[in-house]
Amino acid sequence: TAGTGSCSVTDSVLVTITSPPSLSISNDTSICSGSSAQLNALSAASVVWNPSANLSCSVCNNPVASPPSTTTFYAVAGSAGCVTTDSLVVTVLNYPTLTLSADTAVCPNRPVNLNALSNGNIVWSPPANLSCTICNSPTAVVANTTTFYATANNSSCIVTDSVTISISNALVLSAGSDTGICKGDTIRLNATANAAVTWNSSSTLSCSACNNPLAFPQQNTFYVALASSNDCTVSDSIFVTVDSSRVQANENDSIYSGETIFLHAANADSVEWVPAGSLINPKSFNPEAGPLVTTLYHVYGYKNGCRSVDSVWVFVKEPCGNLLIPSAFSPNNDGVNDKLRILNKNFSKLNWFRVYNRWGELVFEASDFLDAWDGTYKDKSQPMGVYAFSVSFVCSGKTYETQGNVTLVR
C-alpha cells in the first residue's frame, strides 16, 4: 500500500514456493585401477554430473565412471529454478603386483619350481601336478606341455598371469609287453624309441647298448630300458617269466633178467618215455618196463608249453650176480693185488678164464676159480700195458661169456 495525505493506493504480489526436485544417487563404491563403475541417479528432474571427465555421459541419470584415481562425483538435479545436489566417491584401488618365473622347457616328469612374487595372496591352477596351490613357489611335475595360472588377490583386486612348462625333446620308449620263456631258452627283446637305448641286467643279455638284445634269464627278471637325449631320460620295463618246472623221474632201480618194473614221472602235464621198445604205454606217467639189458630211460615232460627231461637207470642183474674182475693189478710181490683173479665165485662152473697180450697171444688160461695170473708168460714177467681177457662160466644152468680189459702195472 502506498499513500500521501489522505489518499492511498494498494496492490499485491503472489509468491509461489516450489519444492526442490528429489534426487537419490548410488552409494560410494570402489573399483580396481582401469575398471569402471556404473553410477545411478533417480530424479524426476534433469540430472547433470560433474566433473564430466571420465564419465560416459554427464547429462544423464546413469553414467559409467572410469576415473584413473579416487574421484568425487556430483549429481545436480534442476527444475523450475530449483536444484538438488548430491555426491558419491569412487575409490580407485591398485591391483596387487605379480611377477612370475619365465616359461621353461624341461624333460618329461622332471620337477621344476614355479615362482610368483606378489604383495597379494597367490592361488595356482590347475591344481593337478602341483605340490601346492595356495603358495608362492609350487613344484610342478608334468609329462606334457602345461600352462599354469597364478592369481594374486589383495582382498579387493585380482590379477592373473601364466607360465608355460614345455616338454623338450619328448622321448618315446616302449620296452614291449611282458612275456615268458622256458628255463634254458632265450628270447629276443625289442625296444622301440626315438633315442639311443640301454638296458640293465646286462649279465643275462647279449648286449646292453642296443634295442634288440637276446635275453637268457635263469629266473624271473625285470629288464629296464632307458632312452636318453639332451639330458632327458625315460624308462620302461618288461617282465620275463621263466618257467622252471622240471619233470621228475623215480630213482635208479634194478631188476633180475625177465622181471618188469614200473617207472614213475611227476611234475608235468604230459610225458613221453624213450626208448619205448621195452615199455608198455610209453606216454603214461607210470609205464611198465621190461628191459633185457641194463637201460637208461629218458622221460620228456611237457608243462606250460615247456619241455624238460629226466632219466632213470634200470639195471638188469643176472641171478648169479655180476662177474667181478679188477681193472688193474700190480705183480710186484708186495703182497697187495699181485695176481689177477675172478673175485666172486658164486658160479657153478668156470669154463675158461683167458688173458691175451696186445698182439692177441694167449698168456694165461685157467678153468678153476682159484687160479690167478701172476703177470708172467713162459716164466718171464710181462711188460706194463693193457691186456684183454675173456671169461666163460655157467650160472643156473646157463653159459655166459664176457670180455674186458685189465691194466698190468709195475
Side-chain angles (χ1 to χ4, degrees):
T1 299
T4 178
S6 60
C7 296
S8 64
V9 61
T10 302
D11 201 357
S12 64
V13 60
L14 179 63
V15 177
T16 303
I17 303 299
T18 304
S19 298
S22 61
L23 176 62
S24 175
I25 66 174
S26 49
N27 296 325
D28 295 345
T29 189
S30 298
I31 63 171
C32 296
S33 178
S35 299
S36 60
Q38 179 77 56
L39 308 185
N40 295 291
L42 294 177
S43 178
S46 175
V47 176
V48 178
W49 292 87
N50 63 79
S52 60
N54 304 308
L55 291 176
S56 60
C57 59
S58 58
V59 183
C60 57
N61 284 51
N62 304 308
V64 175
S66 304
S69 59
T70 298
T71 303
T72 301
F73 290 98
Y74 297 89
V76 179
S79 175
C82 295
V83 296
T84 300
T85 302
D86 201 355
S87 66
L88 60 83
V89 178
V90 177
T91 302
V92 178
L93 304 174
N94 290 324
Y95 282 99
T97 60
L98 178 60
T99 302
L100 300 185
S101 50
D103 294 344
T104 187
V106 298
C107 301
N109 299 309
R110 178 172 294 181
V112 59
N113 292 325
L114 307 181
N115 292 290
L117 297 176
S118 177
N119 57 2
N121 298 316
I122 300 295
V123 177
W124 291 89
S125 65
N129 305 311
L130 290 177
S131 61
C132 59
T133 55
I134 305 176
C135 56
N136 284 56
S137 302
T139 298
V141 179
V142 296
N144 302 296
T145 297
T146 304
T147 298
F148 292 99
Y149 297 89
T151 299
N153 188 335
N154 61 4
S155 300
S156 298
C157 297
I158 297 174
V159 64
T160 300
D161 200 357
S162 65
V163 58
T164 298
I165 301 176
S166 301
I167 301 302
S168 62
N169 298 323
L171 295 174
V172 178
L173 170 65
S174 173
S177 301
D178 294 344
T179 187
I181 63 171
C182 304
K183 188 170 185 178
D185 287 351
T186 60
I187 187 170
R188 180 75 65 180
L189 305 184
N190 184 17
T192 56
N194 57 355
V197 174
T198 58
W199 295 86
N200 72 349
S201 303
S202 58
S203 61
T204 56
L205 293 176
S206 61
C207 59
S208 58
C210 56
N211 286 54
N212 312 108
L214 193 65
F216 42 92
Q218 300 303 304
Q219 58 188 2
N220 296 345
T221 303
F222 266 111
Y223 291 100
V224 178
L226 303 174
S228 302
S229 177
N230 297 329
D231 295 328
C232 293
T233 300
V234 294
S235 64
D236 194 17
S237 64
I238 179 174
F239 185 61
V240 179
T241 302
V242 178
D243 189 326
S244 59
S245 56
R246 310 288 295 180
V247 66
Q248 294 177 337
N250 57 282
E251 298 293 330
N252 296 337
D253 211 336
S254 60
I255 60 174
Y256 285 106
S257 180
E259 293 182 337
T260 63
I261 188 173
F262 284 94
L263 307 180
H264 304 283
N267 197 29
D269 294 331
S270 61
V271 296
E272 183 174 5
W273 295 83
V274 293
S278 57
L279 296 175
I280 297 176
N281 194 2
K283 293 187 177 181
S284 166
F285 282 85
N286 304 290
E288 185 177 5
L292 299 178
V293 296
T294 296
T295 301
L296 177 64
Y297 290 99
H298 299 283
V299 57
Y300 293 94
Y302 302 88
K303 186 175 183 179
N304 300 326
C306 298
R307 188 180 84 159
S308 60
V309 63
D310 198 6
S311 59
V312 55
W313 279 100
V314 176
F315 298 97
V316 178
K317 302 184 298 183
E318 294 297 334
C320 301
N322 295 321
L323 186 68
L324 298 180
I325 298 177
S327 59
F329 75 111
S330 55
N332 52 11
N333 297 317
D334 63 355
V336 178
N337 200 24
D338 285 325
K339 294 183 178 182
L340 177 67
R341 57 168 50 89
I342 299 173
L343 300 180
N344 56 332
K345 305 175 178 62
N346 53 341
F347 308 107
S348 59
K349 179 183 179 182
L350 177 64
N351 294 325
W352 73 75
F353 175 28
R354 297 168 180 168
V355 179
Y356 302 87
N357 63 18
R358 59 186 297 184
W359 295 280
E361 188 176 8
L362 180 66
V363 296
F364 173 76
E365 183 176 18
S367 58
D368 190 326
F369 285 115
L370 299 178
D371 290 341
W373 184 41
D374 61 3
T376 64
Y377 176 55
K378 295 182 179 180
D379 298 324
K380 292 184 179 181
S381 296
Q382 296 301 293
M384 294 175 55
V386 177
Y387 292 79
F389 68 81
S390 66
V391 180
S392 173
F393 59 94
V394 178
C395 178
S396 299
K398 294 178 61 176
T399 298
Y400 298 91
E401 292 186 13
T402 186
Q403 299 85 33
N405 295 316
V406 62
T407 301
L408 189 155
V409 180
R410 293 192 182 276

